[in-house]
């Protein structure tokens, strides 16, 4: 089928198998192959074996009520240099999402996170990442300590955007402020990669796929992917981004309340905005490197449904003004009182 982000950092294969026998209904299932990345620590934000360990551990066998289902796992095999996960094939029954759909998913995420905030303590397995959005920051230093090599083309200077360069560099230099804030907030089990592609609907069931980034994270951190990734694919405008932000955050707080969490909503907002800032810094490196890679330009245009790279660069800049610059200003205001 395809490899997700895991392919970019070292290899993930995803295959659909269809079996047909004369006396039975056709069968279809998925094989996900995770390939070893040597010398990679199990606490790495992209640890190659994490999804295998999550399914094998049984921690998802009893998901909190009214949250999500997980795909049925038929078997999971460890071959040393690779792990094979055999799972059911699921056909999504929902088309495009409305704002109400995003609100519903955020509420489910709130109930999921809230179960760990109000009941049992979060799991402690060593292969779970800790504060995933903080953990990705050291890997950005090679580019963000010196942006100049990434800004050689007009496309990159548009995508940054150049009029915000000083502010972006200032955010990078104060990254510890946002990392420290996340570490001090209430902690919960997070999926960390919950967005449209990893969430499927089947009748009244909502299935959450791809647990490769599972982590122990701060309250509010779970929402980042749902908002940040969606901004690239849902037809970005500043008004739409604000509407999505408000609907998702309101849904999340409602879900936390339904799970019995009675803390201050401001804590979740700090977690959300600080993690969004860190995700936004990662986006600087990712977006500019993608624009430098001429071999990937055709796929980039198809992914975003656009006809020119200038249009893609402007999209990157618009999204960055929201998910990095605007979020950083809000996070600072929340942290400084």
């Amino acid at each position: 089928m395809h490899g997700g982000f895991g392919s970019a950092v070292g290899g993930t294969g995803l295959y659909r198998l269809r079996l047909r026998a004369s006396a039975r209904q056709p069968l279809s299932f998925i094989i996900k192959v995770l390939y070893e990345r040597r010398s990679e620590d199990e606490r790495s934000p992209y640890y190659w074996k994490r999804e295998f360990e999550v399914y094998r551990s049984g921690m998802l066998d009893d998901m909190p009520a009214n949250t999500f289902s997980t795909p049925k796992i038929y078997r999971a095999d460890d071959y040393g240099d690779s792990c094979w996960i055999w799972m059911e094939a699921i056909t999504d029954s929902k088309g495009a999402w409305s704002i109400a759909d995003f609100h519903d998913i955020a509420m489910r995420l709130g109930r999921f996170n809230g179960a760990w905030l109000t009941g049992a303590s979060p799991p402690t397995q060593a292969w779970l990442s800790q504060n995933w959005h903080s953990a990705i920051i050291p890997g950005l230093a090679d580019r963000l300590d010196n942006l100049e090599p990434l800004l050689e083309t007009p496309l990159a200077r548009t995508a940054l955007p150049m009029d915000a360069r000083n502010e972006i560099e200032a955010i990078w230099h104060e990254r510890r402020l946002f990392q420290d804030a996340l570490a001090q907030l209430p902690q919960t089990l997070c999926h960390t990669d919950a967005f449209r592609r990893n969430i499927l609907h089947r009748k009244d069931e909502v299935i959450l796929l791809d647990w490769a980034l599972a982590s122990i994270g701060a309250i509010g951190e779970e929402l980042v992917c749902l908002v940040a990734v969606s901004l690239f694919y849902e037809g970005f405008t500043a008004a739409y981004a604000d509407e999505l932000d408000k609907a998702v955050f309101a849904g999340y707080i409602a879900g936390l309340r339904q799970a019995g969490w009675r803390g201050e909503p401001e804590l979740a907002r700090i977690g959300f905005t600080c993690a969004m800032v860190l995700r936004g810094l990662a986006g600087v490196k990712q977006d500019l490197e993608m624009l430098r890679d001429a071999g990937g330009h055709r796929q980039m245009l198809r992914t975003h449904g656009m006809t020119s790279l200038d249009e893609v660069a402007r999209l990157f800049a618009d999204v960055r003004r929201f998910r990095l610059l605007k979020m950083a200003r809000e996070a600072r205001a929340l942290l400084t009182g």
Side-chain angles (χ1 to χ4, degrees):
M1 295 173 66
H2 57 76
F5 187 74
S7 299
V9 295
T12 299
L14 196 63
Y15 306 91
R16 182 191 298 273
L17 273 70
R18 294 182 175 89
L19 308 180
R20 186 179 298 276
S22 59
R24 296 184 179 181
Q25 291 291 325
L27 300 176
S28 178
F29 57 94
I30 303 296
I31 300 177
K32 189 168 188 178
V33 184
L34 313 175
Y35 295 102
E36 180 184 18
R37 293 187 288 272
R38 294 183 182 276
S39 74
E40 185 176 65
D41 185 86
E42 63 185 357
R43 292 283 182 150
S44 162
Y46 300 111
Y47 179 48
W48 72 277
K49 202 174 181 180
R50 182 171 294 122
E51 185 170 18
F52 173 84
E53 297 289 9
V54 168
Y55 287 130
R56 184 168 68 166
S57 72
M59 69 168 58
L60 305 180
D61 290 350
D62 188 19
M63 293 286 279
N66 300 314
T67 58
F68 303 97
S69 300
T70 57
K72 183 183 296 182
I73 305 299
Y74 298 120
R75 61 184 293 160
D77 300 314
D78 187 345
Y79 295 105
D81 61 353
S82 67
C83 294
W84 292 40
I85 305 170
W86 304 64
M87 66 181 76
E88 66 173 323
I90 301 167
T91 300
D92 188 24
S93 62
K94 182 174 282 292
W97 286 14
S98 66
I99 288 292
D101 292 319
F102 280 100
H103 181 274
D104 174 69
I105 295 301
M107 195 179 307
R108 291 174 183 271
L109 291 170
R111 290 193 288 262
F112 175 72
N113 287 171
W116 302 100
L117 290 165
T118 60
S121 299
T124 59
Q125 284 89 340
W127 38 258
L128 284 170
S129 181
Q130 300 291 317
N131 290 120
W132 189 89
H133 291 94
S134 291
I136 64 175
I137 292 300
L140 307 180
D142 63 326
R143 293 301 191 187
L144 297 193
D145 279 342
N146 178 20
L147 282 174
E148 207 61 47
L150 288 177
L151 298 174
E152 295 171 349
T153 67
L155 280 175
R157 293 192 288 273
T158 296
L160 185 61
M162 286 299 287
D163 64 298
R165 177 176 177 174
N166 290 342
E167 186 174 359
I168 291 170
E169 290 178 330
I171 294 169
W172 169 246
H173 290 307
E174 62 180 340
R175 58 194 180 275
R176 289 296 310 180
L177 172 69
F178 309 111
Q179 291 177 289
D180 290 346
L182 289 175
Q184 294 167 19
L185 290 168
Q187 303 292 301
T188 184
L189 177 64
C190 294
H191 178 277
T192 320
D193 201 18
F195 72 108
R196 179 70 181 88
R197 183 166 143 180
N198 288 335
I199 302 170
L200 305 180
H201 291 75
R202 181 171 57 190
K203 296 183 179 179
D204 295 330
E205 187 181 15
V206 182
I207 301 105
L208 189 52
L209 306 173
D210 197 347
W211 292 79
L213 304 186
S215 66
I216 303 303
I219 187 172
E221 195 167 353
E222 185 77 278
L223 293 180
V224 171
C225 194
L226 186 62
V227 175
V229 176
S230 299
L231 295 179
F232 284 103
Y233 305 111
E234 300 295 329
F236 180 87
T237 66
Y240 176 81
D242 282 331
E243 184 181 11
L244 180 64
D245 177 6
K246 290 173 183 174
V248 164
F249 190 72
Y252 184 69
I253 295 298
L256 288 172
R257 295 296 190 230
Q258 290 164 11
W261 186 76
R262 296 293 177 259
E264 290 296 324
E266 182 178 285
L267 295 177
R269 191 67 189 179
I270 289 172
F272 172 59
T273 56
C274 287
M276 277 283 279
V277 171
L278 301 179
R279 186 72 165 244
L281 288 170
V284 173
K285 177 179 177 179
Q286 178 178 311
D287 293 349
L288 299 188
E289 286 186 339
M290 285 195 302
L291 286 171
R292 290 182 75 192
D293 178 17
H297 285 173
R298 183 174 297 178
Q299 179 60 43
M300 187 186 303
L301 292 172
R302 283 199 298 267
T303 297
H304 294 288
M306 294 179 174
T307 58
S308 76
L309 293 174
D310 285 331
E311 194 177 2
V312 174
R314 289 193 296 272
L315 169 67
F316 287 172
D318 289 341
V319 172
R320 193 153 6 267
R321 292 183 193 282
F322 180 86
R323 77 171 193 171
L324 177 57
L325 303 180
K326 186 174 185 292
M327 290 290 122
R329 294 166 195 150
E330 183 179 350
R332 279 195 217 96
L334 289 167
L335 293 173
T336 58

